[in-house]
């Protein structure tokens, strides 16, 4: 499995061993042809070598696709293309978007080999309204769109069913931005909306199915979109904020409040980043919360929090910053409530993960009065938008943009930071000049190479994969050092390796598959084939329960079932523990049967699970070891040498984000390796959260601490950057 999860799959198979149907001589001009197509992520590139009548070699680069799904399908798809001698392949279950991209790219490469540019006449679509259903981001059901065609064109698209909005506030940006672009371009090749890739692909796939239902051929609707290549210069700003998630918005507000002119931008189609998924921040003895919820009385002893924190990080090197994180947490919250309209619903709705007596340590955002809650927490984008409205009104120059991705810092001839270069979704380059720059790009969870470099292993993302370490890399380009980059990623959720978003299984069957992963009464085996003891490494029992899996090698382990175990489930039902195993936040609905109720369809569940790499089935220990990618002798010892059919269910970490980032001082000024500050450059939120943490441990798991850091670091950096910019 570990081997199979390896991201960079450039696969090449030769024709030699395969019997293939031959085309007429002269069908192709012999040579090598390459084409790309958008898949689930950035897409696939296919290189096809042909002689006069056949495909002789295929190479499919799937390295930009999700490693655990599309990334693993490359080998099978290569074999299918060779066997089919063309683009008409079955594809791979669970990797439908990658498979469809391979089909289109092969078709385009072969069109080139036939001397055509592949953009001929489209097969006619009938007038009328047709519907298409496809998996999207939603956990509970698929998305359905109704698509109206008129005179061979797409006239209208309506999303009639989706469960994406139940899993966050991302879907709205895909619906609002993507559909008009598809109507305008009459092409499904328009880019997915950044930050809402799954929802965007869901919409595109629904439309593709509707095109087919209307008698057309969806593969012909991927006309390339031309990108612009001009450059826009924006200059004269005091402060430039890169990333408008939580810490970016809060930095922007604090800088604007000083009277500075501020330009901010975000790569995603909306502002708020991961911060709109949270319940809320830690805020110690905030006056606002005291008055509303504690009769004006203090509700926590901050000295105790400070001492616990210093003990946890085993160092006083950053004591001044941790002091701010503790003693300014309440004040920072009060500041944003008072000046930018933030609102919080409660105190003590959630207790600390670590110290039970800290029962009023963090609070919860007040949900949007119109849309209420989603399964990740209160809808709160409206609070960030309102804050930005107030902040932009403070200086007529103030503005912000979305769908603009920061790429690199700009320097003057002396090496001073003078701005940022960024790319708009339509290809336009922006050069944005400002006296100070605040980096707020939310860590590096979405950057596979960086995850591998730092941790030697990647893990499933529950948080934004837009966050690709751009801020950290920009800081490094200015000579900035990192601090506690190896703090373990934020994890509170374990689940199956791949959420099955199709209806190959019913919700009840999906619940059983999840229960097989989430049970802790089966032998648990690491990726190295050893016993995963679930040892309490985090030092406190509550934290151990919520974050323990992050200590497992490669952030995952396997629950191992023997054939006898499975036979028992089929005839006698789930155990007590299995029947109670549920996953916070990533539940797909469905009900688990009472213990003792036979699960007659267990074999179907396992077979489908195996297609999606949620189950490894092996007839011997040696075969299981090969599938896991571990030493057979080690695994044999762990399993007591018993030979039977084994079912290994991978249990994986689902992470909110990374923690370690740039080294900063107490002003959030980025520091060099020698500890000297880099003039004009600041880092906040997850781009600098290592300063509150320690390598090799889970992030300070008090409860709400990550979100609290966006308030504290945002207020400090915004104020400091504005002051420096305006006073020289
Ligand atoms: C599901 C979930 C639940 C959580 N619950 C809690 C909780 O209850 N309490 C808590 O304390 N913490 C919680 N967290 C963690 C918390 O959300 C984060 O620690 C916090 O939001 C980090 O804020 P940030 O500003 O660093 O990152 P973000 O809020 O993610 O903002 C980063 C922004 O940068 C943008 N960006 C990235 N790259 C670029 C680029 N190159 N150019 C321009 N923009 C870019 C992104 O689009 C994003 O908007 C949760 C996280 C998740 C995912």
């Amino acid at each position: 499995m570990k081997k199979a999860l390896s991201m960079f799959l450039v696969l090449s198979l030769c024709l030699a061993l395969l019997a293939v149907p031959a085309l007429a001589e002269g069908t192709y001009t012999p040579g090598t042809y390459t084409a790309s197509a958008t898949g689930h992520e950035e897409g696939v590139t296919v290189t096809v070598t042909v002689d006069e009548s056949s495909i002789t070699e295929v190479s499919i680069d799937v390295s930009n696709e999700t490693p655990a799904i599309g990334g693993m399908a490359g080998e099978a798809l290569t074999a299918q293309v060779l066997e089919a001698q063309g683009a008409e392949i079955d594809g791979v279950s669970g990797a439908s978007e990658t498979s469809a991209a391979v089909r289109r790219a092969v078709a385009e490469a072969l069109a080139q080999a036939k001397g055509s540019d592949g953009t001929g006449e489209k097969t006619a679509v009938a007038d009328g309204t047709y519907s298409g259903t496809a998996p999207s981001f939603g956990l509970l059901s698929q998305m359905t769109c109704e698509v109206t065609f008129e005179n061979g064109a797409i006239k209208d698209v309506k999303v009639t069913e989706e469960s994406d909005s139940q899993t966050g506030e991302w879907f709205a940006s895909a619906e609002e931005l993507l559909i008009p672009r598809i109507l305008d371009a009459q092409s499904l090749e328009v880019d997915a909306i950044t930050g809402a890739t799954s929802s965007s692909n869901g919409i595109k796939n629904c439309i593709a199915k509707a095109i087919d239902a209307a008698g057309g051929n969806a593969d012909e609707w991927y006309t390339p979109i031309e990108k612009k290549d001009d450059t826009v210069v924006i200059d004269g700003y005091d402060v430039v904020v890169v990333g408008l998630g939580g810490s970016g918005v809060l930095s922007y507000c604090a800088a604007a409040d000083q009277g500075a002119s501020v330009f901010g931008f975000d790569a995603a189609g909306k502002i708020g980043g991961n911060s709109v998924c949270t319940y809320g921040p830690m805020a110690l003895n905030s006056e606002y919360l005291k008055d509303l919820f504690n009769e004006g009385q203090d509700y926590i002893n901050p000295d105790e929090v400070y001492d616990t924190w210093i003990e946890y990080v085993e160092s006083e090197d950053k004591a001044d910053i941790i002091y701010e994180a503790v003693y300014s947490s309440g004040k920072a919250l009060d500041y944003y409530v008072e000046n930018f309209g933030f609102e919080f619903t409660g105190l003590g709705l959630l207790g600390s993960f670590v110290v039970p007596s800290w029962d009023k340590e963090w609070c919860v955002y007040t949900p949007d009065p119109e849309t209420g809650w989603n399964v990740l927490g209160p809808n709160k984008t409206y609070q960030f938008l309102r804050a930005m409205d107030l902040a932009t009104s403070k200086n007529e120059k103030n503005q912000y943009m979305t769908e603009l991705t920061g790429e690199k810092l700009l320097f003057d001839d002396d090496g001073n930071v003078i701005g940022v270069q960024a790319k708009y979704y339509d290809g336009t380059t922006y050069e944005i000049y400002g006296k100070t720059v605040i980096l707020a790009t939310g860590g590096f969870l979405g950057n596979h190479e960086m995850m591998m470099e730092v941790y030697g292993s990647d893990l499933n993302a529950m948080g934004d994969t837009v966050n690709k370490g751009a801020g950290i890399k920009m800081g490094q380009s200015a000579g900035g050092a990192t601090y506690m980059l190896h703090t373990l990623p934020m994890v509170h959720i374990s689940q199956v390796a791949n959420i099955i978003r199709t209806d190959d299984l019913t919700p009840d069957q999906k619940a059983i598959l999840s229960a097989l992963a989430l049970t802790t009464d089966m032998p648990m085996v690491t990726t190295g084939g050893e016993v995963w003891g679930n040892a309490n490494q985090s030092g406190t029992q509550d934290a151990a329960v919520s974050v323990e899996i992050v200590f497992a090698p490669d952030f995952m382990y396997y629950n191992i079932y023997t054939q006898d175990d499975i036979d028992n489930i089929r005839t006698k039902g789930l155990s007590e523990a299995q029947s109670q195993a549920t996953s916070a936040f990533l539940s797909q609905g469905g009900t688990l049967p009472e213990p003792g109720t036979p699960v007659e369809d267990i074999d179907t569940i396992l077979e489908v699970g195996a297609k999606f790499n949620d189950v490894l089935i092996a007839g011997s220990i040696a075969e299981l070891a090969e599938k896991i990618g571990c030493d057979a002798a080690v695994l044999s010892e762990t399993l007591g040498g018993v030979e039977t059919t084994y079912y290994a269910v991978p249990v994986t970490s689902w992470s909110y984000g990374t923690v370690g980032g740039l080294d900063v001082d107490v002003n959030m000024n980025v520091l060099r390796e020698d500890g000297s500050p880099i003039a004009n450059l600041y880092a906040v939120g997850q781009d600098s959260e290592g300063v509150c943490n320690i390598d090799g441990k889970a992030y300070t798991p008090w409860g709400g601490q990550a979100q609290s850091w966006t308030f504290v670091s945002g207020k400090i950096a915004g104020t400091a950057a504005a002051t420096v910019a305006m006073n020289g």
Side-chain angles (χ1 to χ4, degrees):
M1 182 76 170
K2 189 184 164 197
K3 204 166 50 182
L5 279 174
S6 149
M7 171 76 153
F8 208 86
L9 282 171
V10 179
L11 300 157
S12 190
L13 290 181
C14 285
L15 177 66
L17 300 173
L18 290 166
V20 290
L23 296 174
E25 293 269 317
T27 301
Y28 302 126
T29 304
T32 297
Y33 301 88
T34 297
S36 299
T38 314
H40 181 72
E41 298 281 325
E42 284 160 32
V44 303
T45 298
V46 170
T47 304
V48 178
T49 303
V50 294
D51 61 19
E52 289 205 330
S53 59
S54 60
I55 301 174
T56 58
E57 200 172 327
V58 177
S59 168
I60 302 180
D61 181 354
V62 288
S63 59
N64 287 325
E65 293 291 273
T66 314
I69 307 176
M72 292 179 69
E75 198 167 341
L77 292 166
T78 305
Q80 288 184 16
V81 173
L82 277 170
E83 197 177 349
Q85 283 291 298
E88 297 308 311
I89 54 170
D90 292 340
V92 171
S93 300
S96 52
E97 286 163 17
T98 306
S99 304
V102 167
R103 268 187 219 110
R104 295 199 306 279
V106 170
E108 193 189 321
L110 293 180
Q112 291 171 29
K114 288 177 186 162
S116 136
D117 66 0
T119 55
E121 284 281 296
K122 287 184 186 131
T123 308
V125 284
D127 280 2
T129 299
Y130 297 82
S131 78
T133 297
S136 60
F137 192 71
L139 294 165
L140 302 179
S141 68
Q142 301 190 80
M143 177 189 281
T144 298
C145 296
E146 285 192 351
V147 183
T148 304
F149 300 98
E150 210 178 286
N151 299 327
I154 306 171
K155 272 280 161 240
D156 192 27
V157 177
K158 282 200 170 48
V159 181
T160 52
E161 194 184 325
E162 54 83 27
S163 68
D164 294 30
S165 49
Q166 293 181 19
T167 49
E169 294 177 83
W170 292 287
F171 166 71
S173 65
E175 188 182 33
E176 278 163 27
L177 298 170
L178 186 77
I179 292 176
R181 283 179 202 164
I182 291 175
L183 294 179
D184 189 42
Q186 291 292 309
S187 168
L188 297 178
E189 193 60 26
V190 293
D191 287 342
I193 303 304
T194 305
T197 306
S198 296
S199 302
S200 302
N201 289 340
I203 292 172
K204 290 204 243 174
N205 292 333
C206 288
I207 298 175
K209 292 199 170 163
I211 291 171
D212 289 341
N217 176 356
D219 285 349
E220 298 163 354
W221 287 72
Y222 289 84
T223 320
I225 307 290
E226 216 170 295
K227 294 272 182 190
K228 294 186 179 166
D229 61 0
D230 48 342
T231 298
V232 172
V233 174
I234 292 183
D235 63 6
Y237 279 89
D238 291 319
V239 181
V240 178
V241 183
V242 188
L244 291 175
S247 60
V249 166
L250 297 164
S251 300
Y252 189 110
C253 291
D257 206 21
Q258 297 297 308
S261 57
V262 194
F263 185 91
F265 63 95
D266 199 285
K270 61 162 187 60
I271 63 166
N274 275 329
S275 299
V276 301
C277 309
T278 66
Y279 264 61
M282 172 185 97
L284 309 184
N285 295 334
S286 131
E287 297 298 329
Y288 162 81
L289 295 173
K290 275 198 271 190
D291 287 349
L292 273 181
F293 303 108
N294 213 41
E295 294 169 352
Q297 303 300 305
D298 280 358
Y299 45 83
I300 194 162
N301 177 357
D303 299 344
E304 200 186 313
V305 179
Y306 177 79
D307 292 343
T308 307
W309 201 319
I310 293 289
E311 203 181 309
Y312 188 81
V313 299
E314 301 169 26
S315 160
E316 294 198 21
D317 285 356
K318 295 288 180 185
D320 54 348
I321 298 180
I322 291 171
Y323 186 92
E324 291 295 332
V326 172
Y327 293 93
S328 296
S329 63
K331 289 182 203 142
L333 187 108
D334 290 340
Y335 168 78
Y336 288 103
V337 165
E338 213 168 290
N339 296 288
F340 293 96
F342 279 91
E343 293 171 82
F344 298 88
T345 279
L347 185 63
L349 289 180
L350 300 157
S352 167
F353 292 135
V354 180
V355 185
S357 61
W358 299 353
D359 60 347
K360 294 195 178 90
E361 181 228 310
W362 55 318
C363 59
V364 177
Y365 281 95
T366 304
D368 187 325
E370 279 171 31
T371 57
W373 290 66
N374 63 67
V375 294
L376 295 180
N379 287 323
K380 66 190 80 63
T381 302
Y382 78 103
Q383 298 213 26
F384 290 92
L385 288 168
R386 182 171 62 197
M388 287 301 285
D389 279 351
L390 286 164
T392 47
S393 70
K394 287 179 186 284
N395 184 321
E396 62 182 18
K397 206 168 155 54
N398 287 358
Q399 58 167 318
Y400 69 94
M401 286 177 69
T402 53
E403 300 191 271
L404 185 59
T405 302
E407 293 186 332
K408 61 179 189 180
L409 287 178
L410 298 168
F411 299 94
D412 67 12
D413 292 345
D414 299 325
N416 299 310
V417 175
I418 52 168
V420 186
Q421 183 176 302
K423 187 81 80 185
Y424 196 44
Y425 83 93
D426 68 359
T428 307
T429 298
Y430 277 72
E431 285 177 7
I432 306 145
Y433 293 94
K435 292 179 188 158
T436 56
V437 172
I438 300 177
L439 303 169
T441 64
F444 58 96
L445 180 65
N447 184 328
H448 176 75
E449 281 76 31
M450 222 172 147
M451 292 296 287
M452 295 303 287
E453 251 169 53
V454 173
Y455 299 116
S457 173
D458 206 344
L459 76 180
N460 280 322
M462 178 74 186
D464 251 336
T465 50
V466 184
N467 300 350
K468 296 184 192 302
I472 297 172
K473 295 215 179 270
M474 285 185 211
Q476 288 175 315
S477 74
T482 58
Y483 194 83
M484 298 296 171
L485 200 59
H486 295 82
T487 304
L488 296 175
M490 295 181 202
V491 172
H492 291 298
I493 301 168
S494 307
Q495 243 298 10
V496 293
N498 300 298
I499 302 287
I500 301 175
R501 290 182 157 91
T502 63
D503 49 15
D504 290 50
L505 291 179
T506 65
D508 287 354
Q509 290 175 321
K510 288 175 187 172
I512 290 173
L513 185 61
S514 285
L516 296 181
L518 298 174
T519 304
T520 51
D521 59 355
M522 301 313 298
M524 294 181 270
V525 169
T526 65
T527 51
E530 292 170 328
V531 174
W532 165 236
N534 205 23
N536 182 359
Q537 298 187 43
S538 47
T540 60
Q541 190 53 41
D542 288 350
V545 171
S546 59
V547 303
E548 197 65 47
I549 190 174
V550 81
F551 292 100
D554 303 313
F555 309 121
M556 66 177 291
Y557 60 89
Y558 296 87
N559 274 349
I560 306 286
Y561 296 82
T562 62
Q563 186 62 55
D564 281 352
D565 296 325
I566 298 303
D567 291 344
N568 267 335
I569 292 174
R570 188 185 311 101
T571 54
K572 297 185 188 141
L574 300 177
S575 68
E576 193 76 44
Q578 284 159 351
S579 70
Q580 287 171 12
T582 53
S583 169
F585 298 125
L586 276 177
S587 162
Q588 292 195 274
T591 313
L592 286 170
E594 291 292 318
T597 311
V599 182
E600 285 162 11
D601 53 354
I602 187 69
D603 296 311
T604 306
I605 295 170
L606 294 168
E607 272 163 31
V608 175
K611 273 206 305 189
F612 284 84
N613 295 309
D614 283 334
V615 181
L616 307 181
I617 305 176
S620 65
I621 292 178
E623 191 186 347
L624 184 61
E626 200 187 328
K627 289 194 169 175
I628 288 177
C630 68
D631 188 302
V634 174
L635 184 62
S636 180
E637 194 175 332
T638 303
L639 299 177
V642 177
E643 287 296 350
T644 175
T645 297
Y646 282 102
Y647 301 81
V649 180
V651 190
T652 57
S653 306
W654 288 76
S655 175
Y656 289 174
T658 55
V659 181
L662 292 162
D663 194 6
V664 292
D665 65 14
V666 74
N667 293 316
M668 303 303 128
N669 207 170
V670 178
L671 300 176
R672 297 184 182 85
E673 210 66 65
D674 64 7
S676 61
I678 298 172
N680 313 336
L681 189 62
Y682 300 80
V684 290
Q686 286 175 211
D687 280 353
S688 68
E689 205 177 340
V691 292
C692 303
N693 284 280
I694 176 167
D695 277 350
K697 278 193 184 177
Y699 81 107
T700 45
W702 323 136
Q705 194 273 311
Q707 186 66 176
S708 177
W709 180 243
T710 68
F711 280 79
V712 173
S713 64
K715 178 165 185 306
I716 294 174
T719 310
T723 308
V724 164
M726 293 191 300
N727 299 334

